[in-house]
Amino acid sequence: AVAPVLTIVIGGNHEASNHMWELYYGGWLAPNIYFLGSAGFVNVGGLRIGGISGIYKKFDYHKGHHEVPPLSSDDVVSIFHTRSLEVMRCKSIRRPVDIFMSHD
């Protein structure tokens, strides 16, 4: 099946993080469904759409991503925590953004 319209998505804490991790910089999850990655931007129909995946957790925010497969039980939880690096990537965008998505 194909999504009837182009669908732009971000990740939260209920998706298959181990699979979405493989598209850290974004990519097609399925026909007509595009994942923005950990933090990404796309231009669609004259709109600039951005988003940051994950949820905020203070104890992981300033850490880098250390998770590697196979994921431990701790990694399964921490892999979807937003990091300061991803926020910095979003803040570095100079062109105006029309739509921005976050899970929190």
Side-chain angles (χ1 to χ4, degrees):
V2 176
V5 296
L6 175 61
T7 306
I8 309 294
V9 300
I10 56 169
N13 58 328
H14 296 288
E15 290 72 38
S17 299
N18 55 331
H19 296 292
M20 294 181 106
W21 181 251
E22 295 178 20
L23 293 172
Y24 179 81
Y25 295 103
W28 295 102
L29 293 174
N32 233 11
I33 301 176
Y34 189 81
F35 173 52
L36 289 176
S38 64
F41 295 84
V42 293
N43 294 311
V44 177
L47 293 174
R48 186 132 168 104
I49 302 170
I52 189 166
S53 291
I55 63 170
Y56 174 78
K57 289 294 180 188
K58 182 178 181 178
F59 50 86
D60 281 331
Y61 184 71
H62 291 291
K63 296 178 183 176
H65 279 289
H66 59 276
E67 302 87 1
V68 293
L71 297 176
S72 70
S73 58
D74 289 339
D75 290 347
V76 167
V77 174
S78 69
I79 198 168
F80 58 75
H81 294 165
T82 302
R83 304 307 208 274
S84 60
L85 171 65
E86 284 113 14
V87 172
M88 185 172 55
R89 286 173 52 203
C90 291
K91 289 172 69 174
S92 70
I93 298 299
R94 302 214 182 269
R95 292 178 35 212
V97 176
D98 299 299
I99 299 168
F100 189 84
M101 300 181 290
S102 73
H103 187 277
D104 283 337

